[in-house]
Amino acid sequence: MRRYSRKRVTVILLYAIICVLGVACGPGRQESEVFLESSLVTDTIPSASGMAYVNDTVYVVGDDSPFLFLLSPDFTPIGKHLLLQGYPDKLRIPKKIKPDFECIAEWSRDGQTSLLVFGSGSKAETRDSLAVVHLSHLDNPETYSLTKFYEYLLDDIGEGRDMLNIEGAVVHNDSLHLFNRANNQIYIFEMESFYAFLQGTDTVVDIHTVQVTLPEVRGVQAGFSGAAVIPEIDYILFSASLEAADDWIADGAVLGSYVGMLNAQKPEEVISLSPVTDKDGRIYYDKVESLAFHDYLDTGDGKVLAVVDNDDGTSKFLELLIKEGFLNK
């Protein structure tokens, strides 16, 4: 199998280092271009971890729920559809056997739009599911085991299962990008060859691996937690959070989150990166699990929707404001 060399890029945020040391910004404050505008907590959608925004509808999955939830852009629930047929009466699945749905990617093929809902792969078998949901018939998802593909991927990158935790996914220009929180790598390959592989053919999936180095704060490494396409341009948004956990199964204390932007044609290029703060520059101490670009505002700024898993069965929905300068670097 043909392999690509891994590319490394270091994103150095001098102002972030200064703030962490308490030199310029004061306790808990940083310069920022991404601000929390509003938040809403709900107990009707558990453990929100993946989000997509398609045709004025917000689609959300929870990492321990068998459902795909539908909301309006102001986060009003408008319906839910079962992804895993074995759990029609359960809103939540026990942690030991949960599917760990962490991300949603929009995919268009033959004039039909579908959502790809990925399990993280952080635990073999139970977290290796993929649901392909066609928007024209939400009640009939195609479901696949990703165990064989994840083993194929790990063999290609030379890692074990403990170094797999997929938390972001986007399809851009017919290529699927998977964002691995465990090592901040992005895996890029043709969507059609991946889909053929799922059908059981002998297709070779040619994987391009990109390594991204993100900031470390107080000894905690920021890791990918979500990704989203910005429509009609070659940029991809991603979220990255700071969580003090010993492994990918346990939860840990959260020190904050970043939003970044990379060039889809040259994904080693992280163009913008900013901590999420309130309007006064105070750090927002929650783990942004996923995000979706909503729209450009008249000011040139961008509106982004995001979700937080509160780790108690509830979820938090966010509206973020991204400054024009962040989007136009």
Side-chain angles (χ1 to χ4, degrees):
M1 179 184 301
R2 179 160 57 100
R3 294 178 181 269
Y4 291 76
S5 62
R6 298 182 181 177
K7 301 176 183 178
R8 295 182 175 272
V9 56
T10 302
V11 180
I12 302 173
L13 298 177
L14 181 58
Y15 63 84
I17 297 172
I18 293 173
C19 292
V20 169
L21 295 176
V23 175
C25 300
R29 295 175 183 266
Q30 290 192 19
E31 296 293 331
S32 177
E33 294 181 292
V34 180
F35 305 99
L36 175 65
E37 287 278 278
S38 65
S39 64
L40 172 69
V41 176
T42 178
D43 60 1
T44 60
I45 299 175
S47 315
S49 56
M51 167 183 275
Y53 178 66
V54 184
N55 297 333
D56 294 325
T57 300
V58 180
Y59 297 90
V60 173
V61 289
D63 66 17
D64 61 2
S65 179
F67 289 97
L68 173 70
F69 298 91
L70 283 63
L71 304 91
S72 65
D74 64 357
F75 303 131
T76 300
I78 57 178
K80 68 179 187 287
H81 297 266
L82 197 61
L83 295 175
L84 298 178
Q85 299 303 317
Y87 302 92
D89 301 319
K90 290 184 179 293
L91 194 61
R92 302 183 70 194
I93 299 172
K95 186 170 184 175
K96 287 185 178 180
I97 58 172
K98 71 178 185 179
D100 205 30
F101 288 136
E102 288 287 350
C103 48
I104 308 176
E106 178 187 354
W107 178 41
S108 294
R109 182 175 188 255
D110 297 332
Q112 179 170 252
T113 300
S114 302
L115 301 177
L116 310 175
V117 182
F118 286 87
S120 69
S122 60
K123 193 174 180 181
E125 302 295 340
T126 57
R127 301 186 178 189
D128 285 356
S129 295
L130 169 69
V132 180
V133 186
H134 306 295
L135 296 189
S136 58
H137 42 279
L138 294 167
D139 288 320
N140 296 291
E142 300 173 16
T143 56
Y144 300 91
S145 169
L146 289 174
T147 299
K148 183 178 178 181
F149 178 75
Y150 281 157
E151 290 173 351
Y152 179 97
L153 171 63
L154 289 168
D155 180 66
D156 188 82
I157 65 175
E159 298 286 3
R161 179 66 71 144
D162 61 330
M163 291 304 294
L164 187 66
N165 188 18
I166 301 300
E167 294 216 4
V170 300
V171 177
H172 184 275
N173 287 346
D174 300 319
S175 291
L176 178 61
H177 299 60
L178 295 180
F179 290 70
N180 188 1
R181 179 175 176 78
N183 55 15
N184 287 329
Q185 289 181 346
I186 307 171
Y187 310 121
I188 306 169
F189 39 90
E190 290 183 352
M191 185 61 213
E192 285 295 336
S193 62
F194 170 68
Y195 194 57
F197 185 98
L198 294 180
Q199 308 302 315
T201 70
D202 293 328
T203 303
V204 173
V205 183
D206 197 5
I207 300 172
H208 176 193
T209 299
V210 174
Q211 178 74 53
V212 178
T213 302
L214 297 175
E216 182 177 304
V217 177
R218 301 177 198 169
V220 177
Q221 175 65 58
F224 287 134
S225 60
V229 171
I230 305 178
E232 299 180 1
I233 61 175
D234 282 331
Y235 295 127
I236 295 173
L237 282 179
F238 66 85
S239 55
S241 59
L242 295 150
E243 184 175 17
D246 293 331
D247 57 51
W248 311 121
I249 308 299
D251 299 316
V254 178
L255 303 182
S257 295
Y258 291 91
V259 170
M261 185 170 68
L262 57 82
N263 186 333
Q265 300 302 319
K266 299 179 180 179
E268 66 274 16
E269 295 183 9
V270 178
I271 299 167
S272 298
L273 189 68
S274 173
V276 180
T277 72
D278 66 15
K279 291 183 179 179
D280 295 323
R282 289 185 290 263
I283 296 299
Y284 179 66
Y285 288 107
D286 263 333
K287 179 183 176 181
V288 175
E289 289 270 3
S290 187
L291 74 174
F293 189 83
H294 181 270
D295 203 359
Y296 286 100
L297 305 178
D298 292 340
T299 59
D301 300 334
K303 179 180 178 181
V304 170
L305 310 178
V307 292
V308 171
D309 176 2
N310 292 327
D311 293 329
D312 60 4
T314 68
S315 301
K316 190 179 296 181
F317 292 89
L318 314 177
E319 288 187 354
L320 304 177
L321 177 71
I322 298 185
K323 299 298 291 181
E324 180 182 14
F326 180 101
L327 294 168
N328 289 290
K329 290 183 179 176

